[in-house]
Amino acid sequence: MVLLVMAACSGTGKSTLAKRLLAARPRLKLSCSHTTRAPRPGEVTGREYHFTDRAAFEAMVAREAFAEWVEYA
């Protein structure tokens, strides 16, 4: 198994690149991250992100449920 991480600032095209890679390589799978922000119009939990509240997120951090996590802004 190979893990590919795409990291860049917001608005740089990560989602566009991911969609193109997934379309071109059907064996690739997308990992869906968790976030405490509210969904934007059209976003669906489990597709763009797993939307959760801060208490649930902090509980997951406490039980080491994530390989990595960050608090942003």
Side-chain angles (χ1 to χ4, degrees):
M1 179 189 315
V2 174
L3 176 65
L4 170 66
V5 177
M6 290 191 300
C9 298
S10 179
T12 58
K14 295 180 300 290
S15 295
T16 299
L17 178 59
K19 287 176 188 172
R20 289 182 182 173
L21 282 171
L22 291 167
R25 304 281 188 200
R27 293 182 59 199
L28 291 177
K29 303 294 180 210
L30 181 66
S31 172
C32 188
S33 299
H34 282 73
T35 184
T36 57
R37 73 164 174 79
R40 295 180 182 134
E43 288 183 327
V44 175
T45 193
R47 187 179 65 193
E48 285 79 17
Y49 291 95
H50 293 287
F51 297 98
T52 188
D53 61 38
R54 179 168 284 279
F57 187 88
E58 289 174 354
M60 288 184 275
V61 170
R63 69 174 186 269
E64 299 182 347
F66 301 121
E68 57 88 23
W69 65 276
V70 65
E71 187 164 347
Y72 176 75

